[in-house]
Amino acid sequence: MTDIERRAFVKGATIGALAFTVAGAKVMLTPGQAHARGVPFRLLKASEAETVEALGETLVPGARKAGVAHFVDQQLAVPPGEALLEARILNVRPPYVNFYRAAIGAIDRASLARNGGRRFAQLNTIEQHEFVGLMRQNKIEGWQGPPGGFIYFVMRHDAVDVVFDTLEGSVSLGIPYMPHTPPLRRC
């Protein structure tokens, strides 16, 4: 990493920004800014991103606007040793995109089977909460994929990170924001 890249990274890290590719150029944006600008996804397909957003929003209100799908997508594109994803913390075997695709696929397959051919993102809020409750308890009949409780845990932490590990998130909780200090659970 050159000095200029490192300085841009450090400056971006202090405001929760990550490197996104926009029109072929690397730009420092928060996941929420990337979401608001409609930055194209690098690895997630549109339907996968839609499921990640719907699940994140169900688990942590505000996750969609905070850019949970952009956060996950951007982190899937970095070297595994640099990823800030909960999957890395829990020693999921890289490449992490394999886990996320398997999780998203399991959620959508189970939703299609249980909900009259509707994907998870197409369910109403009450149906999404009911589905997540059953998934969390590993009580969805015919489930095929990573355990639902594990998916719940991983995705909930990713959503919490993108919503609350920011200046706005800290203010909403009434706690001081210290960007130079990594989150405790990441140490």
Side-chain angles (χ1 to χ4, degrees):
M1 182 180 294
T2 67
D3 285 342
I4 293 172
E5 288 174 339
R6 185 177 182 287
R7 276 187 241 128
F9 174 78
V10 170
K11 181 180 178 186
T14 64
I15 60 170
L18 302 169
F20 288 91
T21 303
V22 180
K26 288 201 186 248
V27 179
M28 298 301 286
L29 301 170
T30 67
Q33 290 168 331
H35 171 75
R37 291 182 183 186
V39 171
F41 294 102
R42 292 177 63 188
L43 295 176
L44 293 178
K45 297 173 188 157
S47 61
E48 293 171 333
E50 187 179 40
T51 299
V52 170
E53 286 181 346
L55 181 60
E57 188 68 24
T58 301
L59 298 171
V60 181
R64 179 180 283 118
K65 184 179 176 188
V68 67
H70 281 85
F71 170 74
V72 169
D73 183 72
Q74 192 276 345
Q75 290 297 296
L76 291 174
V78 302
E82 296 175 16
L84 300 174
L85 297 166
E86 187 65 21
R88 174 180 170 230
I89 305 307
L90 296 172
N91 294 318
V92 169
R93 181 183 298 264
Y96 303 121
V97 70
N98 294 342
F99 168 77
Y100 283 86
R101 285 210 167 114
I104 293 163
I107 290 166
D108 279 337
R109 280 189 305 277
S111 181
L112 289 166
R114 289 182 49 83
N115 297 293
R118 293 180 294 149
R119 293 179 36 252
F120 181 79
Q122 297 168 324
L123 304 179
N124 67 42
T125 304
I126 293 169
E127 292 169 322
Q128 287 175 339
H129 281 278
E130 179 183 308
F131 182 95
V132 167
L134 294 170
M135 180 185 78
R136 178 181 57 82
Q137 299 172 64
N138 296 314
K139 290 187 175 183
I140 296 180
E141 194 172 316
W143 182 269
Q144 295 178 347
F150 187 69
I151 293 170
Y152 172 91
F153 187 84
V154 170
M155 293 299 295
R156 183 174 181 278
H157 279 279
D158 288 341
V160 164
D161 284 348
V162 82
V163 173
F164 295 112
D165 280 354
T166 64
L167 175 59
E168 296 81 14
S170 293
V171 169
S172 75
L173 294 172
I175 58 174
Y177 179 65
M178 294 183 263
H180 60 279
T181 306
L184 291 178
R185 60 187 202 80
R186 297 281 189 230
C187 296

